[in-house]
Amino acid sequence: MYCSVILRGATKQIDRLFTYSVPDELAGSVIPGSLVSVPFGKGDSQRCAVVTELKDSFNGDIGLVKDLCSVISDRPVLNPDQIALIDKISDRFNCTKGDVVELMVPSCVVNHKNPTEVFVELVSRDEAQNVLENESLRSAAHINILEYLLERGKCTRKEIMANLSCSAAQVKALEDKGLVRLLKESSDNEVPQISVVEGVPEGKFTEEYDLSDEQRHAIDQILEGIDAKKDNTFLLFGITGSGKTEVYLNCAKKVISEGGSVIYMVPEISLTPQTINWIKGRLGDSVAVLHSRLTDKQRYEQWDNIRTGKARVIVGPRSGVFAPAKDLRLIILDEEHDGSYKAESHPRYSARDIARMRSKITGCSVVLGSATPSVESFYAAQMGAFKLLELKERARQEAKLPEIIPVDMKEQIKLGSGDMLSLPLRQAMSVAFSENKQVILLLNRRGFSRTLICEDCGEPVTCKNCSVAMTLHNNRRNGTQSLICHYCGYTVPSYEARCSFCNGSHFTKAGFGTQQLEEFLHKLFPHEKVLRMDQDSTMTPGAHKEIIDKFANKEASILIGTQMIAKGLDFPDVTVVGVLGADLMLASSSFKASERAFQLITQAAGRAGRGEAPGKVFIQSFRPEQPLFQFACTQNYRAFYDQEIEYRQKLRLPPYKAVGEIVLSLPDEDMLIRRSNELAKYLKDFLGFQDKRYQFEVFGPVPCVIYELRGRYRMSFVIKAVNKSAVNGVFKRLIADFDHTKYPMSFDNDPQDG
Ligand code: ADP
Ligand code: ZN
């Protein structure tokens, strides 16, 4: 008996099917989907692999075939439908089959068999907390270890060392201080249960409602689709508060009552203990949860329950789409437009696309839900590829939409209030504080992207070719500044810039950050406590949850932050929301800028007045009369969509054409410039010879928005083509024709930002 295997995590050079012979004593236990250990290469080093098929014969040189060594997991780790997905994902997202296996078989599964291991636990939680609070520890590693243990409880030393990059000696030092204890145990000893999180109210979703007619209709349509066992995709388009969750839960309940499984994905940030409790409260114990705060052991337990079919509902972020669900009947993506469904490092997969690929193989249905669907999904619904289901009414009659107030910052600057907080917003904040209410300020400032805004008319300087805002770059060689278009590369020195709207030549550099805002608030409201949530303040594990908890417990009255705070959070005492620097969202160079801004403002507005008190939302902009802000103020998605789709069509942007991005990064700037010019020449020559049907266009090289990253300089190329597979065709040529060590490139066929 022989078998074909894929090596887990294989690089391009060894990303093939390899044949091994199955020794007699393992014959019964090796089947397609088994995780096995095989000898590989000259030194016969052990590698982890997945069996894709069994074969009776082998028509190559039998003398060269090696025996596989052992079976790592007694049951198969992949279903047949997952095996069928591997090639498709590898092809679509330009990664190896071995990369896909790595996504499907997480390391907690590979490492599972570990008879005895060293565990670490805190001697006393209070003591650990004290030590952290009085800042008596000098070593960052020690602090990290204590925080890790406080967050997760007991775990293995191996895991701590791997996840925090620290040494056994550093753990030992904490033992010597009497803060932790080390234990030798069998790792199968006790399996911690992920129970309902304490202290969080469970009631909210446990009660079943009388469904509205709209909800009933949506549920009936989806259940019909599931019964048909065809790859139906539904777009559930429902305003915030229309009761989409109720639709998901009803459908999920029906599926599990018939013995099927459901994958229920939510954006990374909304996987709060509340969400998990609501779902458990309604669907019972057959819920498995996969999230980033689990230890390897907890994660393995959840994963194993899914594989055996004990867990029938899988709740998780984008990686949930790879779960080994048994008899999969339904995949739900809540907030389908959310950026976290797209992986931002290799392999850059999109969970939304993979859900659809999985439904084509298994015949399960897909439900995409949102109040602000992505333009691509809404277009697909308009074209009839997705079935559109609408919820137009708020589920709770008494829930009121907040009042949305646009503020013109040109006037505010003339009045002397500066460009951070307008007078009406300040007033509303004072009133809120006097009533013991809370305020959220949203300031979305990605990366270091800055732009010039005309002081006369408020327009950002835009590219003459692409009508997207241009980004300000410092020229490191001679200390000058230039404006660069991140689509076509068009560049002007900043002193030559003219407003494309009124031809003005006086500009403000737009862009203040969350830290500056925080300092300003301390001066303005010295008695109020401020919490700040952005990428810098949420680096450590658990920091995000801590900020949310503090704000929920009303330890602070102001929460400021980037887009992280706009999604899914539910604070009943928030009555005022400010959206600051709204123009900056549009001034990002991405063609998705308007879409993101509309989504963000709508979601942020949904944060105000969730409780009894009605909410107010202030949108601060230099151009409040812009249609986009008007659409957001009236929560008019369709008007926004109509304008946006026209723009996309005019500029031949997705969904009309596919866009791909290639980023070349090198530590030496001169080398980078030389090699990107070579690459540009190659692309232009090569694409120039292609059939016109592919409609290739190439732009670049252009410096990336974040030009210097981790010691490397980065240049980007954008290609457009008739569809994604044509874009992938170009990527494959580049991978084949260029030496990766000399031309380190990354490829993305669905770029999210410019
Ligand atoms: P969405 O996800 O569409 O923004 P939610 O699912 O959060 O909306 O629902 C909003 C609120 O309405 C929740 O508090 C929910 O419990 C409640 N709700 C949902 N369906 C009904 C219904 N049929 N009758 C009464 N209240 C409902
Ligand atoms: Zn341009």
Side-chain angles (χ1 to χ4, degrees):
M1 177 82 81
Y2 300 93
C3 64
S4 305
V5 306
I6 297 173
L7 300 175
R8 183 176 176 277
T11 54
K12 203 179 79 194
Q13 290 74 24
I14 52 169
D15 194 42
R16 279 175 278 130
L17 290 179
F18 291 98
T19 299
Y20 284 86
S21 96
V22 182
D24 289 342
E25 70 274 14
L26 293 179
S29 42
V30 175
I31 59 171
S34 293
L35 187 66
V36 294
S37 175
V38 298
F40 189 78
K42 286 210 184 70
D44 278 347
S45 60
Q46 300 278 311
R47 297 262 331 214
C48 179
V50 164
V51 175
T52 57
E53 63 171 339
L54 293 180
K55 307 182 281 195
D56 289 331
S57 60
F58 175 63
N59 49 15
D61 186 346
I62 293 194
L64 292 178
V65 177
K66 299 173 191 171
D67 280 357
L68 60 80
C69 315
S70 60
V71 181
I72 299 176
S73 190
D74 50 351
R75 272 182 297 249
V77 295
L78 296 182
N79 296 331
D81 76 84
Q82 290 177 291
I83 296 176
L85 257 183
I86 295 175
D87 274 347
K88 295 193 161 61
I89 295 178
S90 134
D91 192 53
R92 175 67 172 270
F93 297 103
N94 304 294
C95 61
T96 65
K97 301 185 219 307
D99 288 333
V100 183
V101 169
E102 201 166 335
L103 291 169
M104 291 178 172
V105 186
S107 53
C108 65
V109 177
V110 177
N111 300 335
H112 178 62
K113 279 274 170 272
N114 244 340
T116 58
E117 258 186 309
V118 180
F119 282 80
V120 186
E121 71 177 0
L122 292 170
V123 173
S124 141
R125 289 181 65 86
D126 290 344
E127 180 60 21
Q129 223 128 25
N130 280 343
V131 172
L132 288 175
E133 267 159 30
N134 63 30
E135 296 179 1
S136 58
L137 289 179
R138 287 280 157 266
S139 143
H142 292 170
I143 294 170
N144 288 341
I145 296 169
L146 290 188
E147 284 178 344
Y148 195 86
L149 290 169
L150 273 171
E151 166 94 11
R152 287 163 226 235
K154 180 168 143 189
C155 50
T156 67
R157 181 172 66 186
K158 196 167 92 192
E159 176 183 341
I160 292 183
M161 288 163 60
N163 288 348
L164 301 177
S165 316
C166 63
S167 66
Q170 285 166 324
V171 179
K172 173 88 172 45
L174 284 174
E175 187 188 26
D176 294 344
K177 286 181 195 288
L179 289 167
V180 306
R181 84 170 67 86
L182 301 183
L183 316 148
K184 259 204 187 108
E185 278 178 20
S186 149
S187 54
D188 286 332
N189 243 350
E190 36 85 80
V191 184
Q193 287 286 335
I194 319 278
S195 53
V196 168
V197 184
E198 293 156 45
V200 178
E202 276 175 53
K204 187 158 178 187
F205 274 99
T206 46
E207 93 185 76
E208 290 195 29
Y209 298 103
D210 293 333
L211 297 167
S212 69
D213 290 346
E214 288 180 332
Q215 284 172 322
R216 183 80 264 159
H217 175 74
I219 294 165
D220 288 346
Q221 293 281 305
I222 295 167
L223 293 179
E224 218 172 274
I226 293 171
D227 281 342
K229 300 206 168 147
K230 279 204 301 237
D231 55 319
N232 287 306
T233 298
F234 298 91
L235 178 61
L236 181 63
F237 169 40
I239 59 167
T240 43
S242 60
K244 293 185 286 295
T245 316
E246 199 61 27
V247 173
Y248 307 144
L249 292 175
N250 272 276
C251 295
K253 196 162 185 177
K254 186 79 193 312
V255 169
I256 56 179
S257 75
E258 291 171 356
S261 293
V262 180
I263 294 177
Y264 185 164
M265 280 180 274
V266 295
E268 205 117 32
I269 234 86
S270 10
L271 260 177
T272 56
Q274 285 98 318
T275 326
I276 296 166
N277 284 356
W278 296 335
I279 297 173
K280 286 201 169 187
R282 277 289 285 281
L283 300 177
D285 288 336
S286 63
V287 177
V289 184
L290 301 168
H291 62 73
S292 57
R293 294 189 299 273
L294 298 178
T295 65
D296 282 3
K297 207 167 138 190
Q298 291 167 331
R299 193 184 304 271
Y300 176 77
E301 196 222 359
Q302 297 292 308
W303 187 89
D304 196 46
N305 283 345
I306 298 166
R307 160 169 72 163
T308 57
K310 214 166 116 192
R312 289 298 185 167
V313 181
I314 299 108
V315 179
R318 64 168 178 267
S319 57
V321 78
F322 297 109
K326 262 190 137 173
D327 196 11
L328 182 62
R329 308 285 302 279
L330 176 63
I331 304 179
I332 298 164
L333 271 94
D334 188 24
E335 311 285 358
E336 67 93 26
H337 62 274
D338 194 277
S340 74
Y341 289 124
K342 167 80 196 299
E344 279 308 314
S345 58
H346 182 82
R348 296 182 175 228
Y349 69 89
S350 142
R352 192 170 63 197
D353 290 357
I354 293 181
R356 307 235 311 127
M357 291 156 89
R358 239 182 137 165
S359 84
K360 287 215 170 67
I361 291 173
T362 60
C364 72
S365 292
V366 176
V367 174
L368 308 174
S370 176
T372 53
S374 61
V375 171
E376 276 107 323
S377 293
F378 204 76
Y379 179 76
Q382 296 285 306
M383 293 295 117
F386 298 174
K387 297 199 173 78
L388 184 65
L389 302 171
E390 272 193 81
L391 305 178
K392 295 178 185 155
E393 305 282 322
R394 284 212 154 181
R396 285 181 19 238
Q397 300 302 320
E398 69 280 11
K400 286 186 278 301
L401 283 169
E403 184 186 355
I404 305 185
I405 304 150
V407 183
D408 188 339
M409 292 309 285
K410 291 195 298 293
E411 278 171 24
Q412 293 295 316
I413 288 181
K414 282 181 202 140
L415 291 173
S417 75
D419 67 345
M420 281 201 209
L421 288 182
S422 62
L423 298 175
L425 176 54
R426 288 184 203 188
Q427 257 160 19
M429 288 172 73
S430 302
V431 172
F433 300 144
S434 70
E435 293 171 347
N436 196 22
K437 300 292 182 197
Q438 293 173 297
V439 174
I440 289 181
L441 299 177
L442 178 78
L443 176 59
N444 199 38
R445 193 164 163 255
R446 285 196 66 111
F448 307 97
S449 161
R450 292 191 308 165
T451 192
L452 293 183
I453 287 192
C454 173
E455 285 182 2
D456 301 320
C457 72
E459 290 274 338
V461 180
T462 51
C463 172
K464 64 174 170 102
N465 307 319
C466 312
S467 70
V468 297
M470 299 177 81
T471 307
L472 197 60
H473 279 259
N474 287 328
N475 194 332
R476 293 156 35 88
R477 283 158 192 254
N478 56 19
T480 59
Q481 290 188 318
S482 315
L483 287 162
I484 301 179
C485 167
H486 281 268
Y487 275 93
C488 70
Y490 176 67
T491 304
V492 267
S494 61
Y495 59 83
E496 280 182 19
R498 287 289 172 278
C499 173
S500 4
F501 205 67
C502 72
N503 208 31
S505 56
H506 298 284
F507 297 100
T508 317
K509 261 180 223 158
F512 56 91
T514 40
Q515 294 188 18
Q516 278 158 285
L517 177 63
E518 188 177 2
E519 282 162 27
F520 184 69
L521 285 166
H522 283 313
K523 286 200 202 98
L524 198 62
F525 298 107
H527 303 297
E528 303 300 330
K529 264 201 85 171
V530 181
L531 288 166
R532 177 166 62 87
M533 179 142 84
D534 55 23
Q535 253 146 29
D536 302 325
S537 70
T538 52
M539 298 274 255
T540 53
H544 175 258
K545 184 175 170 293
E546 202 179 302
I547 296 174
I548 305 255
D549 286 350
K550 278 192 179 154
F551 195 61
N553 294 335
K554 299 192 76 170
E555 286 174 42
S557 50
I558 310 176
L559 174 63
I560 62 180
T562 54
Q563 81 268 20
M564 283 184 178
I565 62 175
K567 310 177 213 170
L569 305 178
D570 200 345
F571 305 108
D573 276 334
V574 171
T575 53
V576 175
V577 172
V579 180
L580 314 188
D583 306 286
L584 278 195
M585 297 181 195
L586 297 182
S588 131
S589 56
S590 164
F591 71 86
K592 291 195 179 171
S594 306
E595 179 177 348
R596 293 260 175 266
F598 183 82
Q599 287 160 351
L600 208 55
I601 295 173
T602 313
Q603 304 280 328
R607 298 304 104 222
R610 307 226 3 140
E612 306 299 306
K616 281 192 175 160
V617 179
F618 295 85
I619 301 178
Q620 295 191 168
S621 156
F622 284 92
R623 287 182 300 157
E625 70 288 352
Q626 277 192 100
L628 183 117
F629 296 134
Q630 302 295 327
F631 301 151
C633 285
T634 50
Q635 312 242 329
N636 189 345
Y637 176 82
R638 276 180 193 266
F640 155 74
Y641 172 82
D642 289 342
Q643 171 184 291
E644 184 63 17
I645 201 79
E646 201 184 305
Y647 158 78
R648 302 273 182 101
Q649 183 167 30
K650 206 159 78 199
L651 290 178
R652 309 303 296 160
L653 286 164
Y656 294 96
K657 268 178 102 168
V659 169
E661 188 184 26
I662 302 154
V663 172
L664 178 68
S665 63
L666 285 163
D668 182 311
E669 198 173 2
D670 291 321
M671 184 97 80
L672 175 71
I673 291 166
R674 216 164 40 236
R675 293 202 175 142
S676 36
N677 287 335
E678 287 166 29
L679 207 58
K681 183 168 178 334
Y682 173 92
L683 278 170
K684 276 168 193 145
D685 289 351
F686 171 71
L687 297 179
F689 283 116
Q690 300 302 309
D691 195 317
K692 292 281 169 286
R693 273 181 316 167
Y694 293 119
Q695 302 175 23
F696 283 122
E697 293 171 77
V698 53
F699 306 93
V702 176
C704 292
V705 176
I706 302 174
Y707 179 50
E708 257 186 278
L709 187 70
R710 294 185 209 106
R712 284 167 168 265
Y713 298 92
R714 308 171 342 126
M715 287 283 198
S716 118
F717 295 82
V718 169
I719 51 176
K720 286 197 206 167
V722 66
N723 57 25
K724 270 192 193 167
S725 60
V727 170
N728 278 342
V730 178
F731 291 170
K732 289 196 170 67
R733 272 310 283 257
L734 289 170
I735 292 170
D737 289 356
F738 285 85
D739 176 355
H740 182 78
T741 52
K742 285 196 183 137
Y743 297 83
M745 285 180 267
S746 69
F747 301 95
D748 192 343
N749 58 26
D750 182 21
Q752 303 288 308
D753 299 296

